[in-house]
Amino acid sequence: MTDAQWAQIEPLSLDRASHGAGIDSPVGTATAQVALSGEHAMRHPTAPADTRDGFPAGDLPGFRSPVTRILLASDGLTTVLLQALTRSALTPQVDGIEMTPGQHVEATARGLLRLATDDVCLVRRSRLVSRTGEVVSANIVTARAGQDARIDAAMRDRTRPIGFAFAAAGLPMNRRISRIGLTSWPQAPDTPCAFKAYTLNADDRPWAYIRELFSPRIVPPATRAEPGMRTEAAAAGERA
């Protein structure tokens, strides 16, 4: 996936997506000004800016597939579940690792990580790929740089999925899900996919924010409209 594909994900209408719930829509990106030592000096887009979704955290019944509900509800290593679903070892393809001013990361990450204006973050964009080369998930990980040498080293580890790298470093892995919902699949922007966003926490202190998008072929994104379910239109009305 190219930088342009990361940066140019357009929102889908509910009619085009053929789903009853709302979608999560990136509305912009910022660019990193500082390249890591040893990286190509390129301007990579950072994580998408403010996003919206029609599923509040915990509204799992809106997804038809039990596979999807289990994956989105899980507070364990997502890679392990995806490997079980695909019956394949998954390897990371890292698309970018950036040093990014905290003010330029997406607003949700800024808030949950309690970033100060002068904080600098590591932002890692990667994909998990099966033995056959199929992209199973796309992931964006944000962590404050310099808070822990183990975190910095794991974020730069291109050989292991990020969860495995964090676990191998002995970092606390208490997950707290912040949002679930639908967004555009980066490999096919006209196709919706399920996503999950969560923090990794040491006690009550979040130290990393992770946003995972799942292949619609592996993790079915189909939803069903049910009484009381909040649609994107309703959510937009609430925000107005």
Side-chain angles (χ1 to χ4, degrees), residues 122-136:
L122 281 165
V123 178
R124 167 181 165 133
R125 300 187 321 280
S126 63
R127 293 166 285 163
L128 289 179
V129 180
S130 71
R131 289 193 188 99
T132 62
E134 180 177 13
V135 177
V136 176

Side-chain angles (χ1 to χ4, degrees), residues 96-225:
I97 303 171
E98 304 138 22
M99 291 285 283
T100 304
Q103 60 188 348
H104 290 162
V105 303
E106 65 172 292
T108 301
R110 283 201 310 273
L112 290 174
L113 296 179
R114 307 166 192 171
L115 297 176
T117 304
D118 57 350
D119 282 334
V120 176
C121 291
L122 281 165
V123 178
R124 167 181 165 133
R125 300 187 321 280
S126 63
R127 293 166 285 163
L128 289 179
V129 180
S130 71
R131 289 193 188 99
T132 62
E134 180 177 13
V135 177
V136 176
S137 71
N139 313 290
I140 303 172
V141 184
T142 305
R144 185 185 292 107
Q147 62 178 314
D148 188 318
R150 297 173 300 168
I151 296 174
D152 292 358
M155 288 285 282
R156 294 182 173 100
D157 185 346
R158 295 173 177 267
T159 66
R160 288 181 283 197
I162 192 63
F164 289 179
F166 284 152
L171 291 161
M173 301 290 285
N174 176 32
R175 290 168 175 78
R176 185 169 299 157
I177 298 172
S178 62
R179 292 188 302 171
I180 61 174
L182 297 175
T183 190
S184 298
W185 178 233
Q187 304 296 122
D190 287 337
T191 302
C193 70
F195 83 94
K196 174 167 67 174
Y198 57 91
T199 55
L200 296 177
N201 306 273
D203 298 323
D204 288 331
R205 182 179 63 83
W207 57 266
Y209 174 76
I210 299 178
R211 194 162 181 265
E212 300 173 327
L213 286 64
F214 303 108
S215 165
R217 197 192 74 79
I218 306 297
V219 181
T223 61
R224 55 182 173 230

Side-chain angles (χ1 to χ4, degrees), residues 2-11 26 29 45 184 186 189:
T2 66
D3 287 338
Q5 285 174 304
W6 276 100
Q8 296 176 3
I9 300 175
E10 296 180 356
T29 59
S184 298

